Amino acid sequence: MTQNQQDLLGLPRRRLAEVLAPFIDRPYRTDQIYRALYERGAGEIGSITELGKELRAELAERFTIGLPEVATRHLSADGTEKFLFRLADGATIEAVDIPDGRRRTLCISSQAGCALTCRFCVTGYWGGGRDLTAGEIVAQVLAVGKQRRESGGGLNLVFMGMGEPLLNLGALGDALEILTEQISWRRITVSTAGVIPGIEELAGWRKRPRLAISLHAPDDDRRSRIMPINRRYPLADLLAALRRYPLDRRERLTFEYLLIRDFNDAPADADALVRLLSGLQAKVNLIPLNPDPVLDESMKRPRRTVVTAFRDRLTSKGMTATVRKQRGDDVSAACGQLRAPGREPRGFRRSNLSL
Ligand code: SF4
């Protein structure tokens, strides 16, 4: 891409029409280009052969299609595949494709890195990067879809990869405007560490994806120790914002709760969690910790019996709770294991953890 070229990828339909207006004579040309970008995943303007040769040459002078390079792919024994993308500025991000019967879940990134430095998260260990553009978000779906077309079936999309999506709401909104032409809003989940202004802004959207909240502890003391953002947005404020959040009658908020051995896995913690979430349309997704060499050694996964007992205690008190299946951990594609290699870690101090 030269300095004068504008990237078309990430432009929703109406903005695409605006930027193309000076160059095309018939409105249906915009539809042709839109479909080539987002349905076919065209990587070059020259390949949009629905357009005449002259128009393609003229557009190629002014515009580009910023599909990122797939730098590496790692296939897990369970079929989960991790993709590492290299972006135009050299930043790297990861996406994970998780097949499950006839369906697939694609876990994608919203930022290259993450400044929130959650203590259990490998992305957080490496520190802040930059916001992704809408094009870079959409490109992950297009690129993985191209590679895995053969798998068929429906697609669920979860923003649980690298970064905090609610700190990049502008790009997220544009990307969702494009992606929801092919994927239902109900099949898209945005996960937040608890950025209250972002939750409030999302609440005002006419259409909203599902919302998941990384909770991971039932009280402020322990949550602040593993999620520094809790000092800024403590639990009482976060829960108050979530009680105001508009939900459909059958829709529920998902609370992700990482189980860490001898830290937050006691029966009393399950009871505290039920009290904390009482009155909310909620379900809990329990995630046994994925250990990683860069994380604090004291962070260990609980024994399976403890995980099951924790889930059963929640369900016995009327809470819907499931244990997330372990997927892709042999290729570091499991939850919390995504990283952007090649940078020095920032803002992460093991000594502060003291579990
Ligand atoms: S868990 Fe999410 S919000 Fe926390 S550091 Fe990792 S990517 Fe950022």
Side-chain angles (χ1 to χ4, degrees), residues 74 80-85 92-98 106-114 118 120-127 140 158-163 290-292 294-295 327-329 331-341 343:
H74 289 103
T80 298
E81 186 161 17
K82 183 168 76 165
F83 292 77
L84 178 78
F85 297 101
T92 50
I93 55 168
E94 293 183 326
V96 183
D97 187 28
I98 309 158
L106 184 58
C107 175
I108 61 174
S109 299
S110 55
Q111 296 179 309
C114 186
C118 299
F120 49 80
C121 173
V122 177
T123 304
Y125 174 80
W126 288 97
Q140 294 169 69
V158 294
F159 286 80
M160 295 183 186
M162 295 164 59
N290 290 306
D292 190 283
V294 306
L295 300 183
R327 301 293 301 266
D329 53 340
V331 293
S332 295
C335 198
Q337 289 185 319
L338 302 189
R339 69 188 74 208
R343 291 186 291 118

Side-chain angles (χ1 to χ4, degrees), residues 273-286:
L273 189 55
V274 172
R275 283 195 299 277
L276 190 71
L277 304 183
S278 76
L280 277 167
Q281 291 173 226
K283 59 183 173 183
V284 175
N285 192 3
L286 299 169

Side-chain angles (χ1 to χ4, degrees), residues 9-21:
L9 204 63
L11 295 179
R13 196 180 283 275
R14 67 195 145 74
R15 296 243 304 281
L16 186 68
E18 280 165 21
V19 304
L20 292 176

Side-chain angles (χ1 to χ4, degrees), residues 297-312:
E297 288 163 6
S298 60
M299 300 187 97
K300 293 195 169 62
R301 185 188 305 207
R303 283 187 298 279
R304 189 180 301 211
T305 50
V306 172
V307 173
T308 307
F310 196 96
R311 181 203 58 198
D312 291 348

